[in-house]
């Protein structure tokens, strides 16, 4: 078995950017033969000395994203002294910003992960989507920025989570002929409730695959055409009663549907 090459990823923040870049490059050189040693939150010269020593011992490369001038300069100096290859991922782009926009960088690590108001808004929205998923608590209908309705397997839950990541509080309600629709649904302002529909063929294929993953027979009533047509017909009648906009999710990525939802909200 050949020796695994090592790349040292170093950052004065989390270091996600550097690791992703290294992985993208490593994929071009048999990624499973290249190991990544990741060191985050480097804060002093001792940390850098330790990494330089390891990289020299392994005849390795250091790839880094360090924004504090003193640490970056020290790493470059020590790497040169020890004849260790060190690649600064941020410097060329940062210099281009300085020259183009005539501004100086803040030189503060971790700014992309600052716990600002928008971050907490996302967290609240994600917790909301989990709590009010699949009509678990009907209070969510009144509190939600968006209420999604549709039959089973129309991407209500993944769409709710995707929109939550964008900061929207989303509740979703499954439409099942045997289950009465909550009266709260008819009180939702029309612009905040959105119906999701799908073609019978697409829904049939999705439900069969779902049954297969669950270890059940694909001919169960859940995936039968008569049942699917019955559910879609029922859902259409409910959506007409609610008077909500409708999006066809057939063959659509979650991102596409989410953009359609946001466009409707903006209108």
């Amino acid at each position: 078995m050949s020796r695994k090459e090592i790349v040292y990823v170093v950052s004065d923040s989390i270091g996600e950017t550097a690791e992703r870049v290294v992985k993208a490059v490593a994929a071009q050189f048999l990624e499973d033969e290249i190991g990544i040693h990741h060191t985050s939150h480097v804060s002093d010269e001792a940390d850098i000395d330790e990494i330089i020593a390891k990289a020299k011992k392994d005849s390795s490369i250091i790839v880094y994203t360090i924004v504090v001038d003193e640490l970056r300069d020290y790493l470059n100096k020590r790497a040169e002294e020890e004849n260790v290859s060190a690649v600064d991922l941020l410097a060329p782009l940062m210099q281009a910003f300085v020259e183009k926009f005539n501004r100086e960088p803040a030189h503060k690590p971790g700014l992309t992960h600052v716990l600002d108001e928008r971050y907490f808004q996302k967290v609240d929205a994600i917790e909301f989507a989990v709590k009010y998923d699949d009509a678990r608590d009907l209070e969510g209908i009144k509190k939600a920025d968006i209420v999604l309705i549709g039959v089973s397997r129309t991407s209500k839950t993944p769409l709710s989570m995707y929109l939550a990541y964008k900061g929207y509080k989303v509740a979703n309600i499954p439409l099942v002929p045997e289950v009465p629709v909550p009266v709260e649904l008819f009180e939702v302002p029309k612009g905040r409730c959105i119906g999701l529909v799908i073609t019978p063929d697409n829904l049939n294929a999705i439900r069969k695959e779902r049954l297969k993953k669950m270890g059940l027979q694909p001919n169960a009533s859940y995936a039968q055409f008569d049942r699917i047509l019955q559910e879609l017909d029922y859902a259409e009648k409910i959506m007409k009663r609610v008077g909500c906009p409708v999006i066809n999710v057939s063959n659509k990525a979650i991102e596409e549907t989410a953009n359609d939802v946001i466009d409707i909200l903006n209108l």
Side-chain angles (χ1 to χ4, degrees):
M1 184 176 177
S2 60
R3 173 181 175 272
K4 200 167 192 175
E5 303 294 346
I6 302 297
V7 176
Y8 286 87
V9 172
V10 182
S11 177
D12 50 9
S13 182
I14 295 176
E16 291 174 334
T17 303
E19 184 163 350
R20 285 173 185 163
V21 172
V22 169
K23 284 182 177 179
V25 174
Q28 303 298 318
F29 298 90
L30 296 176
E31 188 176 4
D32 58 344
E33 294 181 7
I34 297 176
I36 298 174
H37 289 191
H38 190 157
T39 304
S40 303
H41 302 294
V42 169
S43 59
D44 56 36
E45 294 178 356
D47 291 336
I48 291 173
D49 285 336
E50 184 179 344
I51 293 159
I52 294 283
K54 289 178 180 178
K56 183 176 182 180
K57 180 183 177 183
D58 293 330
S59 299
S60 187
I61 300 171
I62 295 174
V63 177
Y64 66 93
T65 52
I66 293 180
V67 298
V68 177
D69 282 341
E70 295 79 5
L71 286 177
R72 186 175 65 248
D73 292 345
Y74 184 76
L75 190 154
N76 284 328
K77 178 174 77 73
R78 293 290 294 118
E80 187 174 346
E81 290 172 355
E82 298 296 334
N83 198 28
V84 172
S85 178
V87 181
D88 185 348
L89 291 182
L90 296 183
L93 185 56
M94 205 170 298
Q95 186 57 35
F97 270 52
V98 170
E99 293 172 2
K100 182 65 179 177
F101 305 125
N102 196 28
R103 295 181 186 175
E104 288 299 317
H107 297 297
K108 292 180 181 178
L111 289 182
T112 55
H113 295 274
V114 171
L115 300 183
D116 56 10
E117 185 179 347
R118 178 151 176 76
Y119 172 84
F120 288 110
Q121 183 184 352
K122 281 184 184 180
V123 171
D124 287 344
I126 291 169
E127 289 177 351
F128 187 97
V130 172
K131 182 176 181 180
Y132 298 111
D133 180 48
D134 216 21
R136 287 178 191 162
D137 187 337
L138 298 180
E139 279 297 307
I141 297 176
K142 300 175 185 176
K143 300 174 182 177
D145 300 320
I146 306 164
V147 178
L148 302 175
I149 59 174
V151 301
S152 172
R153 313 317 294 176
T154 47
S155 305
K156 296 185 299 299
T157 296
L159 181 58
S160 296
M161 297 307 298
Y162 186 90
L163 289 165
Y165 186 75
K166 288 183 172 291
Y168 296 97
K169 292 182 177 179
V170 187
N172 72 75
I173 310 295
L175 300 180
V176 183
E178 293 79 15
V179 179
V181 177
V183 293
E184 292 88 345
L185 183 61
F186 300 102
E187 299 168 4
V188 177
K190 288 185 173 63
R192 284 192 11 233
C193 182
I194 295 172
L196 305 178
V197 298
I198 189 170
T199 65
D201 286 339
N202 273 287
L203 187 55
N204 175 253
I206 291 169
R207 287 189 174 183
K208 279 185 175 179
E209 185 61 27
R210 175 66 174 164
L211 289 171
K212 182 180 175 182
K213 287 180 179 177
M214 293 173 67
L216 302 173
Q217 292 298 317
N219 59 352
S221 63
Y222 178 68
Q224 288 181 357
F225 252 94
D226 287 348
R227 173 63 185 183
I228 285 172
L229 292 173
Q230 178 193 5
E231 289 187 37
L232 291 175
D233 183 58
Y234 172 76
E236 183 182 354
K237 289 175 181 175
I238 295 297
M239 291 172 194
K240 284 181 178 177
R241 277 186 63 194
V242 174
C244 62
V246 174
I247 297 173
N248 191 324
V249 301
S250 305
N251 300 317
K252 265 189 177 179
I254 294 296
E255 296 86 348
E256 290 180 84
T257 308
N259 288 336
D260 290 343
V261 170
I262 293 168
D263 287 343
I264 290 170
L265 285 181
N266 290 337
L267 288 174

